[in-house]
């Protein structure tokens, strides 16, 4: 439960069964909330009030996260469009509309709530951590941004809020993609750890991966811990110690597999991009270097 400022005032954790009465898509939700498409709104009339309330809460949560200094990148991602035969038909810019933002904000809220709940209980856990960038990298960032007129505090005093402000200041300008890319390259990679060192990019003191539009293995580890807490499995010191023993190796393993999966995905997309451009040799295009 949230209050009007977006603070969590109460939360429950219990085993449940989800009964899906509608199959919603990102596109349909966008048509309801952004396009105000009357045909689609009529079709989902019984859900309109809920969606509008969700959109209102999403804006409140976003503003709250922004205020604390969470960094929100908006870099274009390629989406490979396949035809009915599974052949590549096009490469387009992946859409990130209000429907995606709804899922993102509620997912972040769930992850933070679960992490905070288990930390309060002093439960061993796999956290999603994102350490502060190295000071020399921050110094390079400060120096570079100064050349395009963006002033930041010295590296030692730089906080996520300062970086967020810099990104916001170039939104909609020709420098936007450049600044986003350079800031992203300054960051360390997020990873899984049994030690809670906070999440720099989200400006969150405690964070884990409990839920997401895709189901990751670390989510399942956290689910098992939550389920164990609900069923009273970790009431003794010995049971907690036994759980804690296996977490460091699991965290390292999950971080490595995530890195490997990302590299594989990048390789596949790069291969498909080259294949897409194969019949366009000799043609001229605008590009960003």
């Amino acid at each position: 439960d949230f209050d009007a400022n977006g603070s969590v005032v109460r939360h429950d954790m219990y085993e449940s069964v989800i009964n899906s009465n509608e199959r919603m898509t990102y596109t349909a939700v966008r048509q309801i909330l952004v396009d105000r498409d009357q045909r689609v709104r009529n079709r989902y009339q019984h859900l309109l009030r809920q969606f509008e309330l969700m959109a209102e809460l999403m804006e409140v949560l976003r503003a709250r996260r922004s205020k604390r200094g969470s960094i929100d990148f908006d870099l274009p991602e390629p989406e490979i469009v396949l035809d009915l035969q599974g052949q590549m038909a096009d490469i387009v810019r992946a859409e990130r509309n209000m429907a995606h933002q709804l899922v993102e904000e509620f997912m972040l809220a769930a992850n933070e709530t679960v992490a905070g709940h288990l930390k309060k209980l002093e439960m061993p856990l796999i956290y999603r951590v994102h350490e502060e960038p190295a000071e020399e990298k921050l110094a390079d960032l400060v120096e570079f941004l100064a050349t395009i007129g963006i002033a930041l505090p010295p590296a030692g005093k730089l906080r996520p809020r300062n970086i967020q402000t810099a990104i916001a200041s170039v939104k909609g300008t020709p420098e936007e993609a450049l600044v986003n890319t350079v800031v992203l390259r300054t960051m360390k990679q997020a990873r899984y750890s049994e030690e809670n060192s906070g999440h720099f990019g989200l400006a969150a003191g405690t964070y884990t991966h409990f839920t997401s539009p895709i189901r990751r293995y670390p989510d399942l580890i956290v689910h098992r811990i939550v389920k164990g807490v609900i069923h009273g499995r970790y009431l003794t010191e010995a049971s907690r110690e036994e759980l804690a023993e296996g977490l460091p190796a699991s965290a390292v393993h999950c971080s490595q597999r995530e890195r490997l999966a990302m590299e594989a995905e990048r390789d596949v997309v790069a291969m498909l991009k080259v294949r897409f451009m194969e019949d366009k040799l000799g043609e001229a295009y605008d590009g960003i270097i």
Side-chain angles (χ1 to χ4, degrees), residues 162-204:
N162 306 124
I163 296 174
Q164 175 220 59
T165 304
I167 290 172
S169 71
V170 293
K171 194 156 182 66
T173 70
E175 290 80 27
E176 183 179 7
L178 170 69
V179 171
N180 272 271
T181 304
V182 172
V183 169
L184 190 61
R185 288 181 181 173
T186 303
M187 299 289 167
K188 286 187 176 176
Q189 284 185 304
R191 61 186 177 85
Y192 297 104
S193 173
E194 76 288 357
E195 299 282 343
N196 179 30
S197 53
H199 199 294
F200 180 83
L202 292 172

Side-chain angles (χ1 to χ4, degrees), residues 5 31 39 51 70 73-74 126 132 151 178 205 248 265 284:
N5 300 315
Q31 288 169 331
R39 182 186 58 83
F51 279 124
S70 178
F73 293 102
D74 193 12
I126 283 188
E132 201 170 316
L178 170 69
E265 186 180 346

Side-chain angles (χ1 to χ4, degrees), residues 124-272:
L125 184 64
I126 283 188
Y127 293 93
R128 180 66 168 178
V129 301
H130 185 223
E131 283 115 346
E132 201 170 316
E135 195 157 329
E136 59 270 23
K137 281 208 164 193
L138 284 175
D140 288 344
L141 178 68
V142 170
E143 190 180 337
F144 171 75
L145 291 181
T147 65
I148 56 171
I150 300 173
L152 288 176
K157 295 181 178 176
L158 204 60
R159 306 307 321 138
R161 186 179 286 106
N162 306 124
I163 296 174
Q164 175 220 59
T165 304
I167 290 172
S169 71
V170 293
K171 194 156 182 66
T173 70
E175 290 80 27
E176 183 179 7
L178 170 69
V179 171
N180 272 271
T181 304
V182 172
V183 169
L184 190 61
R185 288 181 181 173
T186 303
M187 299 289 167
K188 286 187 176 176
Q189 284 185 304
R191 61 186 177 85
Y192 297 104
S193 173
E194 76 288 357
E195 299 282 343
N196 179 30
S197 53
H199 199 294
F200 180 83
L202 292 172
T206 311
Y207 193 69
T208 192
H209 271 172
F210 171 79
T211 187
S212 123
I214 51 166
R215 186 62 58 233
R216 297 162 295 219
Y217 194 75
D219 299 44
L220 299 181
I221 295 174
V222 177
H223 289 186
R224 288 173 192 150
I225 294 171
V226 170
K227 195 174 278 196
V229 168
I230 290 169
H231 289 290
R233 278 189 211 129
Y234 302 117
L235 297 176
T236 66
E237 195 63 39
S239 62
R240 291 184 184 218
E241 280 176 13
E242 187 184 353
L243 172 64
E245 272 174 28
L247 292 182
S250 294
V252 169
H253 179 75
C254 287
S255 297
Q256 289 171 343
R257 303 314 290 178
E258 177 191 34
R259 200 74 40 87
L260 204 63
M262 282 169 61
E263 286 167 9
E265 186 180 346
R266 281 196 197 116
D267 285 349
V268 169
V269 171
M271 178 188 74
L272 290 171

